[in-house]
Amino acid sequence: MHSCNLQVKYPGRECMLEQDEEWFHLMTKDGQECIRIHEYERVYDVPGLYEEVVYNKLQCDSPQVLTALLKENMEAQGEETTPLRVLDFGAGNGIVGECLQDAFETEAIVGVDIIKEAKRAVERDRPGIYDNYYVIDLSQEDNRNKKKLESWNFNTLVTVAALGFGDIPTRAFVNAFNTVSNGSWVVFNIKDRFFSGDDDSGYNQMLQEMIGKSLKVYKKHHYCHRLSMAGDPLHYYAIVGRKENDFESPAISY
Ligand SMILES: C[S@@+](CC[C@H](N)C(=O)[O-])C[C@H]1O[C@@H](n2cnc3c(N)ncnc32)[C@H](O)[C@@H]1O
C-alpha cells in the first residue's frame, strides 16, 4: 500500500517552528519540494508520505492511544461488546478508521473530512475501511448534511489530531457532537495549550462549557502526541467521555 522508496529530507534541530509551520523536503524527479506537514492536500496526494513523516519520523501514536483509552473505558462501563457506529471526524487518509476496525467490533465507520484529497487517499490506500466517507464542511449549517449524518445513528464520535491550528473550528466540532446520539462515546485529542488558560483558539472556553453541560468526561490523559521536527515532545490531552445532550452556546457563532 505504501511506497517505501520516498526520499524525504528533514530539517535539523534549528527547525523550532509552530506545529502548523513545520516543513520537510520531498525529493522528486524534478528536484526538491518544500512541503508543510499541514498542507494535507499535497501530503495525501503522495502515497505513504503522511505515514512516513507523521508516524515514522515524528512517532505519532495518537490513533493507538485514543483507541486503547476508548476500549479501557468501555470495558470499565461493561460495554466492551457494544458494536460501534463511529463518526470519524477529520478522518484524513484513514489511519484512525483502520485502527478502530482492528480494535473493535464495528457496525459502521463513516469518515468526514473537509478536503477531497483525504477521501481520494482513503480510496487509494485503505479501501473498505469506511462504510461511507463524506467531504463536507460541518462549520456551515446544512440540513441535508445534518440529516445524512444523523441517519447513521452514530454512537461514537472520534476526532484525532484535527482540532485547533486552523483545522476543525469550534463550530464544526459542536455540529459533529450534535450529530451523534445522546449517550455516544466521544473521543478526541487536543494540544494541551488549547485546553488551558493560555488558549487563544476558543477551544478551552467551548470545552469547559461543553463539559459543564453536555459531556461527561471519564478520562483526561496528558501524553506525547508526536515529536516536533526539532525532536521535542508535543503534548496533548486525550479525552474520553459520553455525550449527555446536544450542546449550544451563545459564545460559539457561525
Ligand atoms: C492531522 S490530520 C489528522 C487525520 C487523521 N485524523 C489522523 O489522525 O491520521 C487533520 C485532518 O483534519 C482535516 N480537517 C481540517 N479542517 C477540517 C474541517 N473543518 N472539517 C473536517 N476536517 C477537517 C484535514 O483535512 C486533515 O485531514
Side-chain angles (χ1 to χ4, degrees):
M1 169 189 40
H2 302 142
S3 167
C4 303
N5 46 21
L6 289 172
Q7 286 189 42
V8 183
K9 269 202 341 207
Y10 296 100
R13 268 204 75 81
E14 71 280 4
C15 183
M16 303 277 282
L17 295 170
E18 191 54 283
Q19 266 170 258
D20 54 345
E21 293 299 322
E22 290 184 325
W23 54 270
F24 57 88
H25 282 127
L26 177 68
M27 314 314 260
T28 68
K29 60 178 174 22
D30 302 320
Q32 92 179 6
E33 181 185 350
C34 186
I35 304 176
R36 279 187 309 111
I37 302 179
H38 279 221
E39 273 176 67
Y40 303 119
E41 291 91 341
R42 178 64 186 125
V43 175
Y44 293 150
D45 262 349
V46 181
L49 185 57
Y50 187 72
E51 287 80 351
E52 163 56 28
V53 175
V54 176
Y55 288 89
N56 294 344
K57 170 71 180 171
L58 301 177
Q59 297 173 31
C60 177
D61 201 22
S62 283
Q64 289 75 14
V65 170
L66 272 83
T67 299
L69 286 175
L70 173 60
K71 205 171 192 100
E72 204 178 288
N73 281 275
M74 286 181 73
E75 280 166 8
Q77 299 290 309
E79 291 204 13
E80 60 273 26
T81 55
T82 306
L84 298 185
R85 295 186 301 279
V86 185
L87 170 57
D88 178 3
F89 185 39
N93 64 352
I95 294 170
V96 174
E98 188 172 60
C99 204
L100 291 167
Q101 286 279 16
D102 290 346
F104 293 100
E105 189 189 328
T106 59
E107 265 177 13
I109 307 189
V110 171
V112 167
D113 205 284
I114 203 167
I115 57 169
K116 62 182 184 324
E117 289 81 359
K119 180 176 183 175
R120 219 160 45 205
V122 166
E123 289 166 350
R124 181 193 64 211
D125 297 342
R126 294 183 175 81
I129 287 291
Y130 293 100
D131 293 274
N132 213 327
Y133 195 109
Y134 301 113
V135 177
I136 48 181
D137 179 359
L138 283 188
S139 63
Q140 305 300 316
E141 268 296 79
D142 182 324
N143 269 334
R144 279 212 347 239
N145 284 339
K146 189 171 157 60
K147 285 209 169 71
K148 200 157 65 182
L149 291 176
E150 282 175 351
S151 71
W152 287 94
N153 285 322
F154 294 118
N155 62 11
T156 310
L157 169 66
V158 175
T159 295
V160 179
L163 303 181
F165 281 119
D167 284 341
I168 293 173
T170 50
R171 179 73 264 168
F173 184 68
V174 169
N175 285 346
F177 181 87
N178 289 343
T179 294
V180 303
S181 311
N182 289 349
S184 289
W185 290 97
V186 177
V187 184
F188 61 93
N189 68 350
I190 185 159
K191 189 174 175 65
D192 53 5
R193 193 180 79 224
F194 298 151
F195 200 3
S196 77
D198 295 334
D199 174 52
D200 58 5
S201 72
Y203 261 99
N204 186 50
Q205 187 190 346
M206 186 277 280
L207 289 174
Q208 300 295 352
E209 238 185 285
M210 183 183 263
I211 288 166
K213 290 182 182 167
S214 305
L215 174 66
K216 180 175 167 63
V217 170
Y218 290 95
K219 184 82 185 175
K220 182 176 179 184
H221 173 62
H222 198 224
Y223 73 106
C224 173
H225 159 64
R226 70 164 171 86
L227 301 178
S228 70
M229 277 290 179
D232 299 319
L234 298 174
H235 289 104
Y236 275 48
Y237 287 113
I239 306 294
V240 179
R242 281 185 106 147
K243 173 178 171 177
E244 295 182 310
N245 44 259
D246 279 0
F247 175 71
E248 263 321 320
S249 160
I252 299 159
S253 55
Y254 285 98

